[in-house]
Every structure is written in structure tokens, then in C-alpha cells.
């Protein structure tokens, strides 16, 4: 259970890093034979011995990186070993000091060393305060020797305290006054260490700059191979070229920072590669590192609840959070020369605010949180530039998130307006009905919504009287109009004819109630039965009327002469029937 919890807390950087203890043991076993040979000969020049140790030395990462393209690694390892010289150091011995001129590169065969850098002024001030507090509590009448371990035993980690005592060569720091101690205060601290199979000291040779750290032996013995500056530049040409490119790259990122300062904090960055779709961290994770993307692309996103995304605030429910999946929303994509993940470390936020995932094959430099805390104290120039770049990205993400929320909510409102209107908001009317003078209509009779005011016979008689004043209209003039469309047509017609005539106001009746609708259905059924009997009496006349609607109406209304194909006695009767036919057809269509 505990082991699984630890694995869950590991970052993607830690998952890719090699276990130091396992790798150290593997390197020590692999380098046993080369160590024995170099201890015996100090420098190996015999070809047979070089060929013997070449397969084992070719496993060292330092030689792999410097092997020229097209050259076999074992041949290059044998050539490089001919330039190495064996040296030995004891525990607590300083290999080289900060600020010294670099003339050698070191390859560890057996043992460990610590890398020490100067403390920040804040850390020095804290140590001075501890000492002053301890002195104030001492008995002024007794002479007491200050013991460094006693004073800081409860103020520092046991491991850090032992490193400082080792740096003092097991002497009382209050009796030392050199570059590492002043007035009993240790001015340096350990930041990381190297072990068997690793190399150090090549940075000063590549950049021709002073040493940026001090190296202290931590193990009982340290066995190393050294290579001078001239030999390193001939053998490690590829490594020098790569380090110079890295140095120039960081200078282009941190514009205005001196070259010496860049060489001091560049050692805290390490190179790493990620495959596409690699989740670097998730929202809510603990921030353990940040990245500087050299090449590739990463995606920053958040997961939102659907209700929150659409501006619908609801009380949280544990059941809904389990059932409803959250929606992923991409906020930004960052590519070459961009920092990502530094905002939480700068602002000391304990959790990640966004999730991050690689979109392409990505090459980047990373710095872990512990190293960042050291750099932020010792290199304010670096922190200032990082804050400026972080502010730009953070501001963009906030604006982007706000814009997405507003845009989604605007879209929701627009979709609501585009929904089809309800049936209660739609009325079926004819084009001619829009401009018909309804002032003479009896609102009590015509489409009355008041239940039980008139009888069916009254409605039929009223409509028969009105049909005599209404000219026949064709079914092609029948359209469905929304109330808003009717108002627009009314306004348009009024504006066009304002100078000539005044259009009477249009009064649209509201939707027919259910009771009146049933009543009018009965009226229509009665009228259809009456018309069916009339058509049976003279079917041929009815068919002729139906087929010659337009021409017959024009002939009968515009001229006194009649069609000879119809009987003369039926002219008046047919004309009246035709008018009733058109009125009924319009009435039925209008009330469907």
C-alpha cells in the first residue's frame, strides 16, 4: 500500500531517471578491471591493455557522448583511455575550489564527491541569527567554547550538518576563517553529488570560464581518471561543441545575464526527451519541476464540469461528480523556447493549476524544485527574467479562459433564440387577409374566443354574408406567418403607402381555444355535407367550375356574356355557388 502510494507521487521526470544506487553499483562492478590496471600503471599506453579495458570503458556515458559519428565506441574508448591519468583523493579533501582556473576533467572510477555552491545572503543571515540567539542565552560569567554541532543540531538536517563539518575538515568552524567559514558561519552548501562512472569539471574546460562550484570528497577514498585541457579539447571535440551550443542557447533565452552567471545556473538544467501524448502532470498534482522546451510542443488544458462551463451554478453533489465526466478544454499550446510549469514554483502554489501533455516528440531542459529553490536565492537575475516570461504566459491563460467562458455562454443564448417558436406563437393567415379591412367585422362573431356566445347557425349565416363581399382567392396565396413577421410586413406596407392611403390597423386574433376549435370543426363538417349534395346534383358543372376557376371568375365578373357551355338558368346559381366554394375553401385552409 505504501509502495503504491510512493509510486503515484512520482513525477514523470522521476519515472525516467535511473535509480542512482543501482546505477552506481553497476558502474563499480563494470570498472573493477580498469581501476586495478590504472592503479598499477597510472597511465596506460600499451595497445593490448587498452583493447582489454575498451569494452568496459565504452559503457561510460561521458565517452558515449563524446564519441564522433561514424566511429566505433570501443575504438574511441581505447583511444581516450590512452590520455587518462590515474589520481587518488581522501575523504574531506577538496578536489578544486570555486572560482579556480579549470585545467582538468575528472572521471570517477570509485567513490563519491559533493558539489558545493555559495549560500544566499538570506541563508547566511539566518545562521548568524541562530548564533547570536545562542550567545545571548549563555552565562556571561562563564567562558564557554562555542560548539558548532550543538548550536545547529536542532536547526539543520543531520545530513547537511555533517557536510558542513566535513567541509571544515572536522575542525571547529568558529576557529576557521577562510572562503568556506567566517565567524562560525558556513558560506557554502551541498547541492548534488557525483558517483562512479560519472564525470565532472568539463564545464570550465568547454567554456574557458572559472570553476562555478567546489568539489569535496565524501567517500573514504576517491579514485579518478583525469585528462588535461589540451587532450580534452582534442578527444572531447564533440562534447565541447555540444556544451558551447547549450551555453549559447541559454544566453539567447536569458538576455542581459552575464556569461559567468549563466555558467553558474546552467548546471542545474538537465536534458530530457518525451514521446507524444505523454502526460507531464495533471491539475492538482504537486509541482516538482518545470521545463524549458527546446524543440516540440506541449498542450495546456483544464477539465471543467459541464454546468460550470455553461454558467449554470449548481450545488455540488458527490453522485453527479462520479457519474458526469468532465470536459477537457485546451487553453494553450507552447512550443520552442517556452517555459512551462514554472508559475506554481515561483508563486509557491502547492498544486498544479493546469494539466500538461506533450503533443509531439519534445526535447526539453528540466529543473527540479529543489534546484530551483537554490537558484532563486543565489541568482536574482535569472529569477527576474523567469518571472517576466511566466507573467506573459499566465496572463494569456487567464484571458483565454475568460474568453472561452464568455463565448460558450453567448453561444448558448444564441441557440435559445434560434429555437423554433411554439405553435401558440404561429397563426395561419392569407396574404390578402393582412391588408383586409376588418373594421366592419363583428369581433364577437368572427373567430370569437368567448365560449357559448353564438350558435353554429349564427356563425354560418355571418360567414355567408361576408362571403358576398370577399373576392375569390387562389390557394397559392396561402402562407404561414409568425406574429413577428406579420408585424414587419405591416410596417413595411404602411411605410410604402403612407403618402397615398392609410392601411387600417391589423388586428390578429389570438390562438383559438380548444372548445372553439371543436365547434368550428362541426361547422365545417356540416358545410361539407351540404356541398357534397350540391355537387352530386350537377357533378359535371362542379368539375367544370373546379378546372376553370380563373377564367370563369374573370368572365362572369368582368362581362355580361356567359359561357355557352353552361345552361342559362344556372348562371346566377353557379356564380353564387362558386363564391361560396371559394369562401369555404379559404375558411377551411385558414383554420387547419
Amino acid at each position: 500500500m505504501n509502495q503504491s502510494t510512493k509510486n503515484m507521487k512520482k513525477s514523470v521526470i522521476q519515472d525516467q531517471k535511473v535509480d542512482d544506487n543501482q546505477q552506481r553499483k553497476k558502474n563499480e562492478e563494470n570498472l573493477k578491471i580498469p581501476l586495478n590496471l590504472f592503479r598499477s600503471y597510472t597511465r596506460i599506453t600499451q595497445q593490448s591493455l587498452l583493447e582489454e579495458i575498451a569494452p568496459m570503458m565504452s559503457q561510460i556515458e561521458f565517452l558515449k557522448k563524446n564519441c564522433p559519428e561514424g566511429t566505433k565506441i570501443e575504438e574511441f574508448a581505447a583511444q581516450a583511455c590512452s590520455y587518462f591519468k590515474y589520481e587518488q583523493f581522501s575523504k574531506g579533501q577538496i578536489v578544486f575550489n570555486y572560482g579556480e582556473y579549470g585545467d582538468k576533467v575528472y572521471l570517477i572510477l570509485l567513490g563519491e564527491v559533493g558539489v558545493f555552491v555559495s549560500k544566499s545572503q538570506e541563508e547566511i543571515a539566518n545562521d548568524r541569527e541562530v548564533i547570536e540567539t545562542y550567545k545571548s542565552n549563555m552565562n556571561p560569567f562563564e567562558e564557554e567554547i562555542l560548539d558548532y554541532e550543538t548550536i545547529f543540531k536542532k536547526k539543520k538536517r543531520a545530513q547537511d550538518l555533517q557536510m558542513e563539518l566535513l567541509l571544515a575538515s572536522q575542525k571547529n568552524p568558529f576557529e576557521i576563517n577562510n572562503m568556506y567559514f567566517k565567524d562560525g558561519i558556513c558560506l557554502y552548501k551541498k547541492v548534488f553529488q557525483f558517483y562512479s562512472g560519472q564525470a565532472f569539471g568539463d564545464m570550465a574546460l568547454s567554456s574557458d570560464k572559472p570553476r562555478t562550484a567546489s568539489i569535496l570528497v565524501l567517500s573514504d577514498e576517491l579514485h579518478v581518471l583525469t585528462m588535461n585541457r589540451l587532450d580534452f579539447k582534442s578527444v572531447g571535440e564533440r562534447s565541447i561543441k555540444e556544451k558551447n551550443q547549450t551555453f549559447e542557447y541559454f544566453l539567447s533565452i536569458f538576455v542581459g545575464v552575464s556569461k559567468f552567471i549563466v555558467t553558474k545556473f546552467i548546471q542545474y538544467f538537465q536534458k530530457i526527451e518525451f514521446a507524444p501524448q505523454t502526460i507531464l502532470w495533471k491539475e492538482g498534482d504537486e509541482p516538482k519541476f518545470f521545463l524549458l522546451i527546446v524543440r516540440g510542443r506541449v498542450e495546456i488544458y483544464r477539465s471543467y464540469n459541464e454546468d460550470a462551463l455553461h454558467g449554470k451554478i449548481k450545488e455540488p453533489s458527490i453522485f453527479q461528480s462520479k457519474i458526469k465526466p468532465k470536459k477537457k478544454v485546451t487553453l494553450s499550446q507552447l512550443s520552442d523556447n517556452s517555459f512551462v510549469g514554472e508559475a506554481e514554483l515561483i508563486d509557491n502554489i502547492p498544486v498544479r493549476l493546469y494539466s500538461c501533455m506533450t503533443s509531439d516528440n519534445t526535447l526539453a531542459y528540466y529543473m527540479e524544485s529543489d534546484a530551483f529553490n537554490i537558484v532563486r536565492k543565489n541568482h536574482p537575475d535569472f529569477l527576474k527574467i523567469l518571472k517576466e516570461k511566466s507573467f506573459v504566459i499566465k496572463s494569456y491563460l487567464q484571458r483565454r479562459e475568460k474568453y472561452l467562458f464568455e463565448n460558450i455562454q453567448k453561444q448558448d443564448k444564441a441557440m435559445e433564440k434560434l429555437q423554433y417558436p411554439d405553435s401558440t406563437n404561429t397563426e395561419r393567415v392569407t396574404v390578402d387577409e393582412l391588408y383586409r379591412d376588418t373594421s366592419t367585422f363583428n369581433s364577437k362573431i368572427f373567430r370569437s374566443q368567448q365560449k357559448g356566445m353564438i350558435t353554429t347557425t349564427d356563425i354560418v349565416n355571418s360567414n355567408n354574408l361576408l362571403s358576398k363581399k370577399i373576392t375569390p382567392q387562389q390557394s397559392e396565396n396561402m402562407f404561414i406567418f409568425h406574429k413577428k413577421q406579420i408585424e414587419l410586413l405591416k410596417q413595411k406596407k404602411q411605410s410604402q403607402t403612407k403618402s397615398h392611403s392609410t392601411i387600417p390597423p391589423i388586428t390578429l386574433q389570438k390562438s383559438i381555444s380548444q372548445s372553439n376549435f371543436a365547434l368550428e370543426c362541426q361547422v365545417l363538417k356540416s358545410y361539407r355535407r351540404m356541398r357534397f349534395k350540391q355537387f352530386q346534383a350537377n357533378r359535371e358543372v362542379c368539375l367544370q367550375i373546379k378546372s376553370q376557376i380563373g377564367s370563369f371568375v374573370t368572365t362572369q365578373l368582368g362581362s355580361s356574356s356567359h359561357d355557352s357551355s353552361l345552361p342559362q338558368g344556372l348562371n346566377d346559381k353557379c356564380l353564387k355557388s362558386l363564391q361560396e366554394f371559394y369562401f369555404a375553401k379559404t375558411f377551411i385552409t385558414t383554420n387547419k
Side-chain angles (χ1 to χ4, degrees):
M1 181 70 178
N2 294 334
Q3 186 65 27
S4 62
T5 305
K6 290 181 180 179
N7 292 337
M8 289 175 64
K9 293 182 179 180
K10 283 186 177 181
S11 66
V12 66
I13 299 291
Q14 293 171 333
D15 289 338
Q16 294 197 22
K17 288 176 65 176
V18 180
D19 185 84
D20 290 340
N21 292 328
Q22 293 182 1
Q23 188 64 39
R24 183 179 67 250
K25 291 179 181 179
K26 182 180 178 181
N27 291 343
E28 289 176 356
E29 186 69 23
N30 182 55
L31 295 174
K32 278 184 177 180
I33 296 176
L35 174 61
N36 294 332
L37 289 175
F38 274 104
R39 291 181 69 176
S40 301
Y41 294 95
T42 305
R43 185 186 292 271
I44 298 176
T45 56
Q46 298 180 15
Q47 189 63 30
S48 59
L49 294 177
L50 292 173
E51 292 178 356
E52 181 181 353
I53 64 175
M56 290 163 278
M57 296 295 290
S58 62
Q59 302 299 319
I60 296 176
E61 192 66 27
F62 172 75
L63 296 178
K64 288 181 180 180
K65 289 182 178 179
N66 288 281
C67 180
E69 295 182 3
T71 304
K72 293 183 179 180
I73 181 62
E74 292 187 6
E75 294 179 359
F76 175 74
Q79 179 188 1
C81 287
S82 64
Y83 294 98
F84 280 124
K85 181 183 176 181
Y86 172 77
E87 293 185 28
Q88 183 178 355
F89 299 87
S90 59
K91 185 175 182 178
Q93 187 175 354
I94 295 176
V95 179
F96 56 75
N97 295 300
Y98 169 85
E100 290 182 348
Y101 175 76
D103 60 346
K104 292 179 183 179
V105 61
Y106 298 82
L107 176 62
I108 303 176
L109 294 177
L110 182 65
E112 293 182 7
V113 297
V115 181
F116 285 76
V117 298
S118 57
K119 290 182 179 179
S120 64
Q121 293 299 320
E122 181 183 355
E123 291 173 313
I124 295 174
N126 291 336
D127 288 352
R128 184 178 288 108
E129 184 180 354
V130 171
I131 295 173
E132 294 296 332
T133 303
Y134 184 84
K135 286 182 178 180
S136 64
N137 295 327
M138 292 175 59
N139 190 342
F141 301 102
E142 295 182 5
E143 291 187 3
E144 184 178 348
I145 300 175
L146 295 175
D147 182 65
Y148 190 84
E149 188 173 1
T150 303
I151 294 174
F152 290 100
K153 186 175 183 180
K154 296 182 179 180
K155 302 296 181 180
K156 296 184 179 182
R157 295 187 307 172
Q159 184 180 2
D160 296 337
L161 189 59
Q162 292 301 320
M163 289 295 105
E164 293 179 356
L165 291 174
L166 185 61
L167 189 63
S169 301
Q170 302 301 329
K171 297 179 182 180
N172 189 349
F174 289 98
E175 301 175 357
I176 302 174
N177 192 9
N178 54 21
M179 66 175 293
Y180 296 106
F181 289 91
K182 184 178 180 180
D183 299 330
I185 300 173
C186 183
L187 305 178
Y188 281 72
K189 62 180 178 181
K190 186 179 83 85
V191 290
F192 48 87
Q193 62 190 44
F194 293 109
Y195 53 82
S196 302
Q198 294 182 324
F200 62 90
D202 54 331
M203 179 63 71
L205 275 65
S206 301
S207 60
D208 292 327
K209 302 293 180 183
R211 300 288 190 185
T212 57
S214 296
I215 300 296
L216 179 69
V217 179
L218 303 181
S219 56
D220 295 334
E221 292 182 347
L222 177 69
H223 304 271
V224 296
L225 298 178
T226 63
M227 184 183 294
N228 62 39
R229 175 185 290 269
L230 294 177
D231 293 338
F232 174 73
K233 287 191 174 182
S234 62
V235 174
E237 182 179 358
R238 181 181 173 186
S239 176
I240 294 174
K241 183 179 179 181
E242 182 180 346
K243 288 185 180 298
N244 286 336
Q245 289 176 348
T246 302
F247 181 71
E248 293 296 331
Y249 174 75
F250 277 93
L251 280 178
S252 65
I253 297 297
F254 297 96
V255 180
V257 181
S258 66
K259 294 183 179 180
F260 182 67
I261 297 296
V262 171
T263 57
K264 291 176 69 175
F265 69 72
I266 197 177
Q267 59 188 334
Y268 295 99
F269 282 98
Q270 301 181 53
K271 191 176 289 188
I272 193 169
E273 293 186 18
F274 298 103
Q277 307 302 315
T278 300
I279 297 178
L280 302 179
W281 61 77
K282 292 184 177 180
E283 184 180 351
D285 289 350
E286 179 186 357
K288 296 183 178 180
F289 64 94
F290 73 94
L291 296 175
L292 170 57
I293 303 171
V294 180
R295 184 180 63 254
R297 186 161 51 97
V298 301
E299 177 182 332
I300 298 177
Y301 63 94
R302 291 190 72 178
S303 298
Y304 297 96
N305 187 287
E306 285 285 349
D307 294 332
L309 196 62
H310 293 273
K312 302 175 182 178
I313 302 176
K314 291 185 178 181
E315 294 184 0
S317 172
I318 57 173
F319 301 103
Q320 289 185 357
S321 61
K322 292 181 179 179
I323 296 173
K324 289 186 177 181
K326 293 187 176 181
K327 186 174 181 180
K328 174 185 171 183
V329 178
T330 301
L331 299 176
S332 179
Q333 289 188 341
L334 301 175
S335 58
D336 302 359
N337 307 329
S338 298
F339 287 95
V340 59
E342 78 291 343
E344 293 86 352
L345 294 175
I346 292 175
D347 298 334
N348 294 319
I349 300 175
V351 294
R352 293 288 189 186
L353 301 178
Y354 307 96
S355 301
C356 186
M357 178 181 66
T358 58
S359 302
D360 301 325
N361 290 315
T362 303
L363 174 66
Y365 289 101
Y366 74 91
M367 182 185 290
E368 295 185 285
S369 56
D370 293 338
F372 174 75
N373 291 330
I374 295 172
V375 173
R376 76 185 303 173
K377 294 177 180 178
N378 297 333
H379 306 291
D381 294 339
F382 164 80
L383 185 63
K384 180 181 178 182
I385 294 176
L386 193 61
K387 281 184 176 180
E388 291 174 355
K389 294 180 178 292
S390 176
F391 177 77
V392 174
I393 298 173
K394 184 167 63 174
S395 300
Y396 171 78
L397 290 176
Q398 291 174 351
R399 292 196 307 269
R400 171 72 172 166
E401 188 174 17
K402 182 180 178 182
Y403 169 79
L404 285 175
F405 269 85
E406 291 177 352
N407 201 30
I408 290 173
Q409 292 172 16
K410 285 181 181 178
Q411 185 179 8
D412 291 342
K413 292 180 180 178
M415 290 300 295
E416 290 177 1
K417 292 181 180 179
L418 290 176
Q419 289 180 353
Y420 289 106
D422 297 334
S423 58
T424 57
N425 295 327
T426 303
E427 185 174 358
R428 295 178 181 272
V429 295
T430 62
V431 176
D432 292 338
E433 232 180 335
L434 292 174
Y435 310 109
R436 186 181 303 163
D437 184 5
T438 58
S439 59
T440 58
F441 291 172
N442 190 344
S443 59
K444 206 171 178 184
I445 300 174
F446 190 73
R447 297 188 182 180
S448 174
Q449 295 184 11
Q450 302 179 24
K451 185 176 180 181
M453 295 217 35
I454 56 176
T455 62
T456 304
T457 305
D458 293 335
I459 293 175
V460 174
N461 294 335
S462 177
N463 287 335
N464 286 335
L465 294 174
L466 292 174
S467 64
K468 297 178 180 180
K469 303 178 182 179
I470 301 174
T471 57
Q473 51 186 341
Q474 296 184 2
S475 60
E476 287 79 1
N477 294 333
M478 189 63 196
F479 298 98
I480 299 176
F481 293 91
H482 191 270
K483 287 187 176 180
K484 293 182 179 180
Q485 294 173 322
I486 294 172
E487 293 295 333
L488 291 175
L489 288 172
K490 171 187 172 183
Q491 294 173 7
K492 184 177 180 181
K493 183 65 178 179
Q494 287 178 348
S495 62
Q496 290 176 353
T497 61
K498 187 174 182 180
S499 59
H500 301 286
S501 61
T502 303
I503 300 177
I506 300 174
T507 305
L508 299 178
Q509 303 296 331
K510 294 183 180 180
S511 59
I512 304 172
S513 62
Q514 188 174 3
S515 59
N516 283 346
F517 181 79
L519 186 62
E520 292 191 4
C521 286
Q522 295 177 3
V523 174
L524 294 177
K525 289 180 181 179
S526 301
Y527 185 80
R528 287 170 182 167
R529 284 195 296 268
M530 178 186 70
R531 293 306 301 148
F532 181 74
K533 294 179 180 179
Q534 293 178 0
F535 286 138
Q536 278 187 335
N538 198 342
R539 184 177 181 182
E540 293 181 359
V541 174
C542 291
L543 290 175
Q544 192 169 2
I545 291 172
K546 186 177 180 182
S547 61
Q548 298 180 3
I549 288 173
S551 60
F552 181 78
V553 172
T554 304
T555 304
Q556 295 297 327
L557 297 179
S559 176
S560 61
S561 59
H562 304 289
D563 192 345
S564 60
S565 60
L566 295 174
Q568 294 182 357
L570 293 178
N571 284 342
D572 296 335
K573 185 178 179 181
C574 289
L575 179 58
K576 184 177 179 181
S577 300
L578 181 61
Q579 292 175 348
E580 293 176 354
F581 174 81
Y582 269 99
F583 177 79
K585 187 174 183 180
T586 304
F587 186 84
I588 293 169
T589 308
T590 305
N591 293 278
K592 278 185 179 180

